[in-house]
Amino acid sequence: MTDTGSAATAVNISGVRVGGRPAGCPSSFCGCGAALRVFGRIVPELNLASNWLRFPRTSPAPGMVAARRGHVFILEQHLGRDVWMAYDSNSGGHATRMHARSLRGYTVVNPRG
């Protein structure tokens, strides 16, 4: 990897695979996987990534959620600038990964707010 700005792109399709589609989750499972990580259970209405945007907006911090229409991931650790180590279900190839992600294009929400 090079600078922090390109780290998200460089790792976006790789990173560390930590699993696949969790049992009971639909084939598009980013929202379902995020709910399992945050709440410890499947929350059916959060299977749709855009429903995460109903939570209050907040500043990026560990445990907060980056959401947009079509995808959602959990912020784990700040790496620099707008790049975070993320718990990212359905991050490509039907895998769940821990990898660097940019927050560009995402809204950060507090799922416990």
Side-chain angles (χ1 to χ4, degrees):
M1 276 183 258
T2 55
D3 68 352
T4 307
S6 64
T9 302
V11 186
N12 207 11
I13 59 171
S14 59
V16 177
R17 184 182 174 128
V18 295
R21 180 171 56 94
C25 286
S27 60
S28 295
F29 61 91
C30 65
C32 184
L36 283 167
R37 180 78 168 186
V38 171
F39 302 114
R41 63 185 177 84
I42 295 172
V43 181
E45 58 271 18
L46 295 178
N47 288 349
L48 184 62
S50 62
N51 284 345
W52 287 84
L53 294 168
R54 296 178 181 167
F55 288 106
R57 289 359 183 212
T58 192
S59 298
M64 299 299 108
V65 174
R68 68 175 185 203
R69 295 193 190 293
H71 198 62
V72 61
F73 58 86
I74 311 300
L75 305 182
E76 297 287 330
Q77 179 184 11
H78 187 224
L79 299 177
R81 296 188 222 167
D82 69 344
V83 178
W84 282 76
M85 185 59 63
Y87 180 85
D88 192 359
S89 294
N90 204 17
S91 60
H94 301 288
T96 296
R97 293 182 176 82
M98 290 287 291
H99 62 162
R101 289 294 310 251
S102 170
L103 297 180
R104 273 178 259 149
Y106 287 87
T107 299
V108 178
V109 298
N110 182 350
R112 293 177 182 89

